[in-house]
Structures are given as C-alpha cells and as structure tokens.
Amino acid sequence: MSEARRGPGRVKEVTSLTNPIIKDIRLLEKKRHRDETGLFLAEGMKLVIDAIENGWTLRTLIYAKAGRGQDHVEALAARSIAQGADVLIVSEKVLGAIARRDNPQMVMGVFEQRWLSPSGIRPSGNEVWVALDRVRDPGNLGTIIRTADAVGAKGVILVGQTTDPFATETVRATMGSIFAMPLARLSEADFIAFAGKWPGITVGTHLKGAVDYRKPDYTKTPVLLLMGNEQAGLTDALADACSTLIKIPQAGRADSLNLAIATGVCLFEIRRHALTFDGETS
Ligand code: SAM
C-alpha cells in the first residue's frame, strides 16, 4: 500500500502471545510467510528510523511498554501513525518472542520488502555492482550487503536460489545497509544474458582464476564482480560468462577464503581504481 493512500495508523496494546497480530508477525521468521506477505522484520530504533528516512514503507511499529514516556520512542510512534503504520505497544515477553532472543531491542518494525526489477539494473559510469551465485549463508549475505554499501556499490544481484536477504538474521548482519543497497534477483540464465550485455568489465572470482585480483583494469567501468557459492564456487556457465577470472593469492593451509571476506578484499581493491564513490567518508 502506498504511503499517500494510507490513512493514519492505529495504536494497540498487546500482552498476549496468542494475539493473532503477534502470531502473524512471529510467522515472518519463516521465508514462506515473508514471500507470501512481502514483509519482513527489522530490529532497533536506528534501523527503523533509517528505513523510514530511506523511503521504505513501515506497516507496523512495535515497541516495548518501557518505551512509553521516552520522547524519541513516542516521536517515532507519532511519525509512524501519521504515515499510516499501526503501532503495537507490547510486553517484554511479546517483544522477546517476536525477536526470538533475550534482551531484544526496544523497537522493531515490519516493513514492505523492496526489490529492484531486472529492468531497473542499469549499470553506467563508474558504478560497481556485486553478483552472488547461490549464496547460502545469511551471515555472509548480510555482511556482503553491508560491505557493498560501505564501498558505494550500486546494487547486489542474487543469482539462482539464494538465502533470503529479508531473513531476520541477514537483516541484522547488514547493520542497516539492507535499507541502502538495492537488491535484485535473476535466474542463472537471465544473469548470463544480462552479463553478456554489460558495458564495462565482468570479473568472476575463482580459485582457479588465472589473474591476480590486483591486476585487472578496473577503470573499465562499470564493474560487475561475481562471487561463487560457499561450497561449490561459481558454476562453469557463470565462470564462462565473465570477461576475467581473478584469484586472491593465499599463503598457509586454508584452501579458500570465506565468501564475505573475499568479496570485501575484491571490492576494496576495485574501489581503489574505479574512481571515487558518492558520499565517501574518511
Ligand atoms: N570449494 C569452493 C571452490 O572450489 O570454489 C570454495 C568456494 S569459496 C569458500 C566461496 C567463494 O569465495 C568463491 O567461489 C569465490 O567467489 C570466493 N573466494 C574465496 N577464496 C578466494 C580466493 N582465494 N580467490 C578468489 N575468490 C575466492
């Protein structure tokens, strides 16, 4: 529902775990329910404010009774109601059950998911995009989204069957970058067709890569960096779709790096060459 068409939200106090609204929110733990509703849960005052300020649609604001009388919580509640979101004031028990952990954040929000449509991926200029082949681990995906945000990448493209970026664990690991980093999803076949038309360089990472990751000419922007699955690496078809296959040289006994670490190493190397990014902070 668009913000413009929504009337003011309603306020409810809920203390029971059997309340149907709470049951529904708790189901957001399940991917199937997130897919069906197009919603997800984000925890923490800062995250909820960042999300609203980035234009994400808040459906429900949830806060602990202890937040009553706290100016910043009540100001956020008033803002949420004005934007059409419902506000639930809940007991500690209910809050802990929604977060599924002890000592949960005092404030949480249920937001509408947002995906970039394939036609919305329009690489240009000195942009850097990251593509992930069948990423499986929620912590890896969250860390990569956060890192992509930190280097000023333009978006993250999920290729094939991947873990859900809107899972609570992934959202947590992004530390708020979920609200700043455009996300798209493509099948492997669509990605290969898309990469074939890429206007700059397409760089795949591979343990058998022939090129040291510091060697490609990353000024041939836009840059598309493709990372492989945690267990299997890149499929042969995806590796063939890249103009260059790079490798990060390693010493010691480890046969590979963690996916999120390898992504960070490559992104910051690319960043050194691919000019400066908007909004850079020192
Ligand atoms: N057994 C897998 C293989 O043979 O490719 C290992 C995959 S590794 C854990 C997951 C991904 O991290 C790789 O597909 C690649 O994208 C990236 N990666 C890890 N170490 C790397 C390295 N030394 N050089 C380049 N990419 C690396």
Side-chain angles (χ1 to χ4, degrees):
M1 195 188 290
S2 83
E3 301 239 330
R5 282 186 284 122
R6 296 198 298 172
R10 292 155 301 171
V11 183
K12 284 197 185 78
E13 186 166 332
V14 186
T15 52
S16 166
L17 288 175
T18 58
N19 180 296
I21 305 172
I22 300 302
K23 280 184 167 173
D24 213 43
I25 292 173
R26 291 188 71 202
L27 276 178
L28 289 174
E29 194 223 356
K30 300 201 182 304
K31 179 172 186 315
R32 191 165 149 208
H33 194 65
R34 291 194 298 273
D35 288 348
E36 281 166 7
T37 58
L39 300 176
F40 71 106
L41 192 68
E43 302 166 312
M45 181 87 182
K46 182 180 178 306
L47 233 64
V48 171
I49 292 174
D50 282 356
I52 293 172
E53 284 177 355
N54 276 302
W56 288 64
T57 303
L58 176 68
R59 286 282 194 89
T60 308
L61 179 79
I62 305 152
Y63 74 85
K65 275 185 192 170
R68 269 203 184 120
Q70 293 192 20
D71 289 351
H72 58 299
V73 177
E74 296 210 341
L76 176 59
R79 185 175 179 184
S80 305
I81 293 165
Q83 290 189 352
D86 291 333
V87 172
L88 298 178
I89 306 169
V90 301
S91 59
E92 301 292 335
K93 183 180 72 178
V94 170
L95 200 71
I98 294 172
R100 294 178 191 274
R101 60 171 171 168
D102 296 334
N103 302 317
Q105 301 263 2
M106 185 187 285
V107 172
M108 296 181 206
V110 175
F111 288 92
E112 290 179 12
Q113 296 180 15
R114 216 193 245 182
W115 290 95
L116 192 61
S117 68
S119 62
I121 314 172
R122 293 199 208 97
S124 66
N126 64 351
E127 291 175 3
V128 177
W129 290 72
V130 183
L132 304 173
D133 171 22
R134 297 162 299 152
V135 56
R136 283 280 180 267
D137 182 83
N140 275 346
L141 178 55
T143 305
I144 291 170
I145 291 170
R146 180 180 179 186
T147 309
D149 180 24
V151 299
K154 268 291 167 190
V156 173
I157 304 165
L158 304 177
V159 182
Q161 285 291 326
T162 67
T163 191
D164 181 7
F166 295 107
T168 308
E169 192 184 344
T170 311
V171 171
R172 243 177 232 154
T174 72
M175 298 293 286
S177 293
I178 189 87
F179 297 116
M181 186 52 40
L183 300 174
R185 49 190 165 182
L186 291 176
S187 67
E188 183 182 272
D190 286 348
F191 178 81
I192 289 170
F194 163 80
K197 294 185 201 137
W198 189 263
I201 54 167
T202 52
V203 184
T205 49
H206 206 292
L207 299 187
K208 294 193 185 121
V211 180
D212 183 300
Y213 77 109
R214 293 161 289 196
K215 296 287 184 236
D217 182 0
Y218 296 120
T219 63
K220 288 183 183 159
T221 55
V223 179
L224 176 59
L225 175 70
L226 176 58
M227 306 300 301
N229 167 269
E230 289 96 335
Q231 275 80 44
L234 284 180
T235 63
D236 290 345
L238 286 173
D240 289 346
C242 297
S243 51
T244 310
L245 284 183
I246 58 169
K247 178 176 180 165
I248 304 164
Q250 294 179 204
R253 290 188 55 207
D255 59 4
S256 67
L257 293 166
N258 161 274
L259 170 63
I261 299 282
T263 309
V265 169
C266 293
L267 280 177
F268 276 92
E269 177 61 19
I270 293 167
R271 177 198 166 106
R272 283 199 321 120
H273 303 269
L275 309 173
T276 52
F277 293 91
D278 292 342
E280 191 159 332
T281 54
S282 53

